[in-house]
Amino acid sequence: MMAATDNTSDKELKEIHFDILKWKSSLRFIEGEILFINQLLNSYVFEPTTPNLFERLQEFKEQIEVLEKEIQNINQGIRTHESELGGMLECDTISCDNFYYKNHILVRCTFDDFYKNFSRLKSEVFLYAGGVLKKNKK
């Protein structure tokens, strides 16, 4: 492996790579959560007499579909960003380093926005589902 230049330290590269690993791991976990949420939304555990039940569940499903497409785009962006890290080792100017750092910040902001939107939707689904689940009587 090549040594980092004076502009880009090994520590900075390791931090960037660690961010990428965290994002990839988080997205895999979120994909599992989305699978569970889809199973919940497609199950028959909801009180059928709930007003606008079908419409609300449909709205959640559509929002989940949008998030699934975003995950694909974010995963692709992360893969591209990760493959470009080698270019940082070849940088010999500050402007070159800044290009990669700006890209990293852009990927971070994209991931953070996605994560906030996913967390909000997950909370909405769970709050709604908790209120309209069938009550099992023994």
Side-chain angles (χ1 to χ4, degrees), residues 20-130:
I20 290 170
L21 293 176
K22 284 191 307 188
W23 298 332
K24 289 165 66 172
S25 175
S26 293
L27 287 174
R28 282 191 302 273
F29 188 76
I30 288 169
E31 288 171 328
E33 289 182 299
I34 286 176
L35 180 63
F36 171 77
I37 291 169
N38 273 325
Q39 290 172 339
L40 175 66
L41 295 176
N42 290 305
S43 69
Y44 296 100
V45 296
F46 296 105
E47 253 335 304
T49 58
T50 304
N52 301 317
L53 174 67
F54 176 77
E55 292 82 3
R56 191 69 176 128
L57 294 178
Q58 226 16 67
E59 184 181 315
F60 286 138
K61 290 176 189 179
E62 290 168 7
Q63 291 176 19
I64 291 289
E65 283 181 27
V66 169
L67 289 176
E68 287 174 325
K69 289 176 185 166
E70 285 183 41
I71 286 174
Q72 291 175 357
N73 292 335
I74 292 169
N75 267 324
Q76 181 57 45
I78 289 171
R79 279 192 299 273
T80 301
H81 180 53
E82 186 175 32
S83 70
E84 293 172 346
L85 281 183
M88 287 185 80
L89 294 172
E90 298 171 11
C91 282
D92 57 358
T93 64
I94 292 174
S95 63
C96 180
D97 280 344
N98 284 339
F99 169 79
Y100 290 103
Y101 288 123
K102 285 179 182 176
N103 189 39
H104 186 72
I105 290 168
L106 178 64
V107 175
R108 176 186 291 144
C109 289
T110 302
F111 177 83
D112 289 347
D113 288 344
F114 165 80
Y115 191 81
K116 287 176 199 167
N117 290 333
F118 170 72
S119 296
R120 178 196 46 77
L121 178 60
K122 182 172 72 169
S123 293
E124 286 178 22
V125 169
F126 289 171
L127 284 171
Y128 182 77

Side-chain angles (χ1 to χ4, degrees), residues 13-25:
L13 285 174
K14 286 178 184 175
E15 288 172 1
I16 288 172
H17 192 248
F18 184 69
D19 282 347
I20 290 170
L21 293 176
K22 284 191 307 188
W23 298 332
K24 289 165 66 172
S25 175

